[in-house]
Amino acid sequence: MRRFITSFALMIITLASYAQVYKMYSTQNYHNQLRLNTMTGEVQQIQDDGQSWIICSAREISGDKERRFCLYETQNMWTFIMLDTYTGKNWQVQFSVKGEDYMFAAPINIYSLAYPKATSNWADRFQMFATQNMWTFILLDSYNGRLWQVQYSTQDLDNLFCIPINRHELVSDNEKCIFSIQPLISMYQYYLINDRTGDMWKFQWSTKGDDYRWIERFKYYQPLICNWFYLYWRLLKNKAKELSEKLSHISYDSDKSNYEQAKEELSALNNGAFIDIPTNINNVFSGKIISATQAKDFISHYKPYFQEAYLLKRKLEAYDITPSETILKFIKDFGAINKLIKQHNEDVITLLLDTHKDFFDHCLKYPLDKQQRRSIVSEEDNCLV
């Protein structure tokens, strides 16, 4: 029995050791996924009709280390960045539905930033972090604290680069992930933190040139910085609560200007209980078609709240604070606001056509056709029957 248990355990360990050789990455195109060989760096585009293409050939033909390679999604739906977490090399990987001519892997950094030995197990040594600039990532050597600014491009592959922010190691002879970064208020500035000692540096990336990239040691007393982080954490928590409260009192009146509404909301946030955007659409425009002008005003009314909510959500997530359900639902509803307005109008048109069917059948010597009926009930700003 003991021998059986030992054999079974070894089998489980063996199977687990191969669990991360291949990893699937979802894309924003529902019919396609990317399959990465985490040992060699080979990337395949897998289509749900059974077709597949090799976008990126193996970078390490004899690769034998799992999780050595990983993919980072960018804000461009067709583009990923592949990173060799052992050496810091990286490539821009693009998939496509237009054909193989549009599928490629272009090197961003082809030089090794570290030199692993055959016995090295450096998975996650190099890590990448997206910035608020969709074209820019921060590359971190989590072993020694070195930083690089990585830029990709879909317009000109000559604009791909990997530029150092600090050229010297902050720690030597270390083979553990001890460095991390945290964003500051400015989209260009971050803290670099030694999670083992608590030492901190402040650094800045830039698109203006080397003179605007810098890093400096952050001087502080240990208790003071702990208190600072705690206070900032509490500030974000309070900001989230404040915004949730603000969102819970948004109302919309299609008969008032944006200025009048904003003035009323600032003076007294009690014009009406806000449930969600779909419910508010039904309440304000109950049984009515939303014209193009009204839709534009309606969306403009909510846009500032969406921008505030979205920026706060990113800050909260950077500090591992879960945004409230109110904020998350509001962001989701606003993202689908055009679809919600269109669906509302379709529902109202269907209701009106059914209600007035008898009139449309007998108002003239002949019944009105479907297009004429829809044109009459649509109440659009420009209507031709």
mmCIF file of all heavy atoms in Angstrom, residues 5-23:
data_model
loop_
_atom_site.group_PDB
_atom_site.id
_atom_site.type_symbol
_atom_site.label_atom_id
_atom_site.label_comp_id
_atom_site.label_asym_id
_atom_site.label_seq_id
_atom_site.Cartn_x
_atom_site.Cartn_y
_atom_site.Cartn_z
ATOM 1 N N ILE A 5 0.999 4.272 -2.803
ATOM 2 C CA ILE A 5 0.817 5.701 -2.500
ATOM 3 C C ILE A 5 2.006 6.506 -3.011
ATOM 4 O O ILE A 5 1.864 7.583 -3.604
ATOM 5 C CB ILE A 5 0.624 5.913 -0.987
ATOM 6 C CG1 ILE A 5 -0.693 5.275 -0.536
ATOM 7 C CG2 ILE A 5 0.653 7.396 -0.653
ATOM 8 C CD1 ILE A 5 -0.918 5.317 0.961
ATOM 9 N N THR A 6 3.221 5.957 -2.808
ATOM 10 C CA THR A 6 4.421 6.657 -3.271
ATOM 11 C C THR A 6 4.422 6.780 -4.787
ATOM 12 O O THR A 6 4.718 7.848 -5.341
ATOM 13 C CB THR A 6 5.689 5.906 -2.816
ATOM 14 O OG1 THR A 6 5.673 5.789 -1.392
ATOM 15 C CG2 THR A 6 6.941 6.644 -3.269
ATOM 16 N N SER A 7 4.066 5.698 -5.478
ATOM 17 C CA SER A 7 4.024 5.729 -6.943
ATOM 18 C C SER A 7 2.985 6.705 -7.445
ATOM 19 O O SER A 7 3.199 7.451 -8.400
ATOM 20 C CB SER A 7 3.728 4.319 -7.485
ATOM 21 O OG SER A 7 4.723 3.410 -7.078
ATOM 22 N N PHE A 8 1.806 6.711 -6.766
ATOM 23 C CA PHE A 8 0.744 7.627 -7.164
ATOM 24 C C PHE A 8 1.166 9.084 -6.981
ATOM 25 O O PHE A 8 0.914 9.935 -7.832
ATOM 26 C CB PHE A 8 -0.513 7.331 -6.350
ATOM 27 C CG PHE A 8 -1.688 8.176 -6.719
ATOM 28 C CD1 PHE A 8 -2.395 7.937 -7.893
ATOM 29 C CD2 PHE A 8 -2.087 9.242 -5.907
ATOM 30 C CE1 PHE A 8 -3.475 8.721 -8.243
ATOM 31 C CE2 PHE A 8 -3.157 10.027 -6.253
ATOM 32 C CZ PHE A 8 -3.851 9.764 -7.427
ATOM 33 N N ALA A 9 1.857 9.348 -5.855
ATOM 34 C CA ALA A 9 2.325 10.714 -5.592
ATOM 35 C C ALA A 9 3.332 11.148 -6.638
ATOM 36 O O ALA A 9 3.302 12.294 -7.127
ATOM 37 C CB ALA A 9 2.932 10.796 -4.195
ATOM 38 N N LEU A 10 4.243 10.253 -7.010
ATOM 39 C CA LEU A 10 5.239 10.577 -8.038
ATOM 40 C C LEU A 10 4.568 10.846 -9.374
ATOM 41 O O LEU A 10 4.976 11.741 -10.131
ATOM 42 C CB LEU A 10 6.251 9.435 -8.171
ATOM 43 C CG LEU A 10 7.237 9.275 -7.017
ATOM 44 C CD1 LEU A 10 8.080 8.019 -7.208
ATOM 45 C CD2 LEU A 10 8.135 10.509 -6.899
ATOM 46 N N MET A 11 3.509 10.098 -9.677
ATOM 47 C CA MET A 11 2.794 10.297 -10.924
ATOM 48 C C MET A 11 2.129 11.665 -10.955
ATOM 49 O O MET A 11 2.180 12.384 -11.955
ATOM 50 C CB MET A 11 1.747 9.204 -11.107
ATOM 51 C CG MET A 11 0.979 9.312 -12.433
ATOM 52 S SD MET A 11 -0.225 7.980 -12.621
ATOM 53 C CE MET A 11 -1.410 8.454 -11.350
ATOM 54 N N ILE A 12 1.518 12.044 -9.828
ATOM 55 C CA ILE A 12 0.872 13.351 -9.745
ATOM 56 C C ILE A 12 1.897 14.465 -9.912
ATOM 57 O O ILE A 12 1.677 15.449 -10.629
ATOM 58 C CB ILE A 12 0.130 13.524 -8.402
ATOM 59 C CG1 ILE A 12 -1.031 12.528 -8.323
ATOM 60 C CG2 ILE A 12 -0.364 14.943 -8.232
ATOM 61 C CD1 ILE A 12 -2.089 12.741 -9.388
ATOM 62 N N ILE A 13 3.056 14.315 -9.261
ATOM 63 C CA ILE A 13 4.109 15.334 -9.365
ATOM 64 C C ILE A 13 4.602 15.433 -10.796
ATOM 65 O O ILE A 13 4.828 16.525 -11.335
ATOM 66 C CB ILE A 13 5.278 14.997 -8.408
ATOM 67 C CG1 ILE A 13 4.807 15.133 -6.954
ATOM 68 C CG2 ILE A 13 6.478 15.895 -8.674
ATOM 69 C CD1 ILE A 13 5.836 14.642 -5.939
ATOM 70 N N THR A 14 4.763 14.277 -11.453
ATOM 71 C CA THR A 14 5.226 14.271 -12.840
ATOM 72 C C THR A 14 4.235 14.965 -13.754
ATOM 73 O O THR A 14 4.603 15.776 -14.609
ATOM 74 C CB THR A 14 5.448 12.821 -13.314
ATOM 75 O OG1 THR A 14 6.391 12.201 -12.454
ATOM 76 C CG2 THR A 14 5.959 12.804 -14.753
ATOM 77 N N LEU A 15 2.935 14.650 -13.571
ATOM 78 C CA LEU A 15 1.921 15.307 -14.393
ATOM 79 C C LEU A 15 1.877 16.794 -14.152
ATOM 80 O O LEU A 15 1.750 17.600 -15.068
ATOM 81 C CB LEU A 15 0.543 14.689 -14.099
ATOM 82 C CG LEU A 15 0.336 13.254 -14.592
ATOM 83 C CD1 LEU A 15 -1.007 12.723 -14.093
ATOM 84 C CD2 LEU A 15 0.402 13.180 -16.108
ATOM 85 N N ALA A 16 1.993 17.209 -12.881
ATOM 86 C CA ALA A 16 1.955 18.633 -12.546
ATOM 87 C C ALA A 16 3.128 19.367 -13.155
ATOM 88 O O ALA A 16 3.037 20.540 -13.531
ATOM 89 C CB ALA A 16 1.941 18.814 -11.027
ATOM 90 N N SER A 17 4.272 18.671 -13.259
ATOM 91 C CA SER A 17 5.464 19.328 -13.786
ATOM 92 C C SER A 17 5.300 19.701 -15.249
ATOM 93 O O SER A 17 6.001 20.553 -15.769
ATOM 94 C CB SER A 17 6.681 18.399 -13.615
ATOM 95 O OG SER A 17 6.549 17.256 -14.443
ATOM 96 N N TYR A 18 4.353 19.037 -15.958
ATOM 97 C CA TYR A 18 4.131 19.346 -17.362
ATOM 98 C C TYR A 18 2.886 20.217 -17.564
ATOM 99 O O TYR A 18 2.492 20.476 -18.680
ATOM 100 C CB TYR A 18 3.981 18.055 -18.168
ATOM 101 C CG TYR A 18 5.282 17.278 -18.292
ATOM 102 C CD1 TYR A 18 5.560 16.219 -17.439
ATOM 103 C CD2 TYR A 18 6.221 17.630 -19.249
ATOM 104 C CE1 TYR A 18 6.753 15.517 -17.535
ATOM 105 C CE2 TYR A 18 7.415 16.931 -19.362
ATOM 106 C CZ TYR A 18 7.679 15.879 -18.500
ATOM 107 O OH TYR A 18 8.859 15.200 -18.599
ATOM 108 N N ALA A 19 2.261 20.620 -16.454
ATOM 109 C CA ALA A 19 0.983 21.317 -16.548
ATOM 110 C C ALA A 19 1.105 22.681 -17.200
ATOM 111 O O ALA A 19 0.168 23.164 -17.819
ATOM 112 C CB ALA A 19 0.353 21.453 -15.168
ATOM 113 N N GLN A 20 2.266 23.330 -17.097
ATOM 114 C CA GLN A 20 2.408 24.686 -17.609
ATOM 115 C C GLN A 20 3.305 24.769 -18.832
ATOM 116 O O GLN A 20 3.802 25.830 -19.157
ATOM 117 C CB GLN A 20 2.944 25.589 -16.504
ATOM 118 C CG GLN A 20 1.917 25.990 -15.467
ATOM 119 C CD GLN A 20 0.801 26.831 -16.070
ATOM 120 O OE1 GLN A 20 1.043 27.761 -16.825
ATOM 121 N NE2 GLN A 20 -0.424 26.496 -15.737
ATOM 122 N N VAL A 21 3.552 23.645 -19.512
ATOM 123 C CA VAL A 21 4.349 23.712 -20.738
ATOM 124 C C VAL A 21 3.614 24.539 -21.775
ATOM 125 O O VAL A 21 4.192 25.419 -22.421
ATOM 126 C CB VAL A 21 4.651 22.303 -21.281
ATOM 127 C CG1 VAL A 21 5.347 22.391 -22.630
ATOM 128 C CG2 VAL A 21 5.527 21.540 -20.298
ATOM 129 N N TYR A 22 2.327 24.282 -21.956
ATOM 130 C CA TYR A 22 1.506 25.050 -22.897
ATOM 131 C C TYR A 22 0.480 25.867 -22.108
ATOM 132 O O TYR A 22 -0.138 25.361 -21.174
ATOM 133 C CB TYR A 22 0.791 24.134 -23.881
ATOM 134 C CG TYR A 22 1.720 23.543 -24.924
ATOM 135 C CD1 TYR A 22 2.295 22.289 -24.728
ATOM 136 C CD2 TYR A 22 2.029 24.244 -26.083
ATOM 137 C CE1 TYR A 22 3.155 21.749 -25.674
ATOM 138 C CE2 TYR A 22 2.883 23.709 -27.032
ATOM 139 C CZ TYR A 22 3.443 22.471 -26.822
ATOM 140 O OH TYR A 22 4.290 21.947 -27.754
ATOM 141 N N LYS A 23 0.320 27.091 -22.521
ATOM 142 C CA LYS A 23 -0.657 27.966 -21.853
ATOM 143 C C LYS A 23 -1.477 28.685 -22.914
ATOM 144 O O LYS A 23 -0.931 29.196 -23.891
ATOM 145 C CB LYS A 23 0.043 28.978 -20.948
ATOM 146 C CG LYS A 23 -0.928 29.865 -20.169
ATOM 147 C CD LYS A 23 -0.207 30.761 -19.181
ATOM 148 C CE LYS A 23 -1.193 31.621 -18.400
ATOM 149 N NZ LYS A 23 -0.524 32.498 -17.420
#
